[in-house]
Amino acid sequence: MNINQEQLNIFKTVMETGSFSAAARQLGKVPSAVSMSIANLEVDLNLQLFERVGREPKPTAQAQVLYEKTLYLLTEIQQWVQHANALSDGLESTLSIVVVSELIHTEWTDYIALLEQQFPTLQLDIFSAPQEDALRMLMQGQVQFALMFEREYLDHRESFIELKRETIVPVVSLSHSLAKQNQIPLETLQRHRQVIVTGRDQHLKPELLFSTQYWRTDNHQLALSLILKNLGWGLLPLTMLEQNPHLYTQLKILDILDITPQLEYYIDLVWNKEAQLGQASQFLIDFVRQQRLKKVQ
């Protein structure tokens, strides 16, 4: 059996137009060529696809079943060809992005939607990890991009673009002793357990660490659960509270003496400048740069 794409397309067109002659006109062929193609297809399949009674061929029940399969198969072939052409033009086979855990509530999916629209055949892998782990994944080549907070010290291999600002606030359960104080000296805060979202490497000191005693977790949802259970205070994205207003009835934003309680950090799109970039990666970088220029202007 040797069925090709042209045979499938002719069969599809006959099914949709209702006759060999109409299909021939639409395809730019002579009717005899269409009739011969269908006849050869019937021989290859050992099936009668059309009943040739009257002026127009009538599809058999088997033809109706195969028509649905044909539509799916022709779409798959078209997508395969498009993907192959894109790969030959430099499109990555897979683009991997890691989003820092605390930033899950930001509008990062807008960039994913943009990539899907521009490169519909692109395979996307999206991960979530704490800041330190996200940077490690990037530098080890496990991902092409990291969406993460600004860093005090930059790796010499890093290249980045600032995307936006994110506000982080210190919060505590309403039943916690800290919730009863209006203004809290930093020294007092340091004596209470902090629940902190950080990497899995126990040898690395967590960022945004204030307290002398702390519990670690690699997920902000886990941190929230511990804070709500009155097991410590922690830093959470303000957008997390804004998107879940009921949290304002369970948590208090702490007013810390001598420092601004709302900590603002830039969110960066980071990549390894030593890595080879594909077509989609370069498109994303160029797009973000253009967006940033528009904001500056």
Side-chain angles (χ1 to χ4, degrees):
M1 185 181 296
N2 185 23
I3 299 171
N4 57 49
Q5 183 181 358
E6 183 179 17
Q7 281 180 300
L8 293 177
N9 193 45
I10 290 174
F11 168 66
K12 166 183 172 291
T13 308
V14 172
M15 290 290 293
E16 292 174 348
T17 59
S19 72
F20 294 160
S21 57
R25 287 194 297 271
Q26 183 168 317
L27 295 170
K29 297 179 179 293
V30 295
S32 59
V34 171
S35 179
M36 181 64 69
S37 177
I38 295 297
N40 290 336
L41 185 59
E42 290 177 321
V43 171
D44 287 337
L45 296 175
N46 193 26
L47 283 175
Q48 184 178 1
L49 299 175
F50 296 93
E51 295 177 1
R52 293 160 177 81
V53 179
R55 295 185 58 185
E56 304 297 348
K58 182 180 179 181
T60 63
Q62 292 89 340
Q64 295 289 356
V65 172
L66 289 177
Y67 172 66
E68 299 297 329
K69 300 289 186 182
T70 300
L71 293 178
Y72 174 79
L73 187 56
L74 287 173
T75 299
E76 287 290 305
I77 293 173
Q78 184 180 13
Q79 290 177 349
W80 186 91
V81 171
Q82 289 176 346
H83 199 180
N85 290 335
L87 291 173
S88 68
D89 290 337
L91 181 68
E92 304 91 326
S93 57
T94 302
L95 179 60
S96 300
I97 301 173
V98 59
V99 182
V100 168
S101 303
E102 295 93 329
L103 300 178
I104 289 176
H105 291 269
T106 61
E107 296 177 354
W108 58 272
T109 51
D110 291 346
Y111 298 102
I112 304 302
L114 176 69
L115 287 171
E116 192 278 335
Q117 181 181 13
Q118 190 72 22
F119 306 99
T121 62
L122 177 65
Q123 171 69 39
L124 278 171
D125 291 342
I126 303 169
F127 307 99
S128 174
Q131 178 101 342
E132 298 90 341
D133 292 345
L135 186 59
R136 175 182 52 79
M137 292 171 68
L138 180 67
M139 293 309 163
Q140 290 181 355
Q142 298 175 346
V143 297
Q144 282 78 51
F145 289 105
L147 194 65
M148 59 197 307
F149 288 112
E150 59 182 301
R151 282 88 45 229
E152 185 176 356
Y153 300 103
L154 296 180
D155 188 294
H156 70 280
R157 296 166 292 177
E158 284 185 53
S159 193
F160 70 93
I161 305 172
E162 292 176 352
L163 294 180
K164 56 181 295 186
R165 290 183 181 181
E166 174 68 19
T167 301
I168 300 177
V169 292
V171 296
V172 72
S173 167
L174 290 178
S175 58
H176 196 284
S177 60
L178 288 174
K180 299 177 177 60
Q181 303 182 42
N182 292 327
Q183 283 194 321
I184 303 170
L186 192 57
E187 295 81 4
T188 301
L189 190 69
Q190 292 171 340
R191 293 196 295 268
H192 289 266
R193 181 190 300 125
Q194 181 179 354
V195 178
I196 187 164
V197 179
T198 185
R200 300 174 181 87
D201 189 343
Q202 296 288 333
H203 300 290
L204 291 178
K205 184 178 179 180
E207 295 187 28
L208 303 178
L209 179 61
F210 290 86
S211 298
T212 55
Q213 55 174 319
Y214 58 94
W215 286 358
R216 308 168 66 117
T217 178
D218 64 355
N219 184 286
H220 65 285
Q221 290 289 352
L222 291 175
L224 173 62
S225 298
L226 294 172
I227 294 168
L228 289 174
K229 285 293 184 181
N230 203 22
L231 296 172
W233 71 275
L235 294 161
L236 295 178
L238 185 59
T239 51
M240 186 176 182
L241 277 67
E242 292 173 343
Q243 293 174 11
N244 300 275
H246 68 276
L247 291 177
Y248 284 108
T249 66
Q250 300 170 281
L251 298 172
K252 178 181 179 181
I253 298 177
L254 298 175
D255 185 4
I256 304 173
L257 195 63
D258 298 329
I259 66 171
T260 303
Q262 295 190 353
L263 307 174
E264 288 197 342
Y265 289 86
Y266 281 103
I267 299 173
D268 296 336
L269 179 69
V270 188
W271 66 95
N272 187 342
K273 61 186 177 184
E274 295 181 355
Q276 185 174 358
L277 297 177
Q279 186 181 12
S281 297
Q282 192 59 59
F283 169 83
L284 181 59
I285 292 171
D286 293 342
F287 175 84
V288 174
R289 279 178 172 158
Q290 290 172 7
Q291 292 299 106
R292 179 165 175 73
L293 283 175
K294 290 179 182 178
K295 290 179 181 179
V296 173
Q297 295 172 353

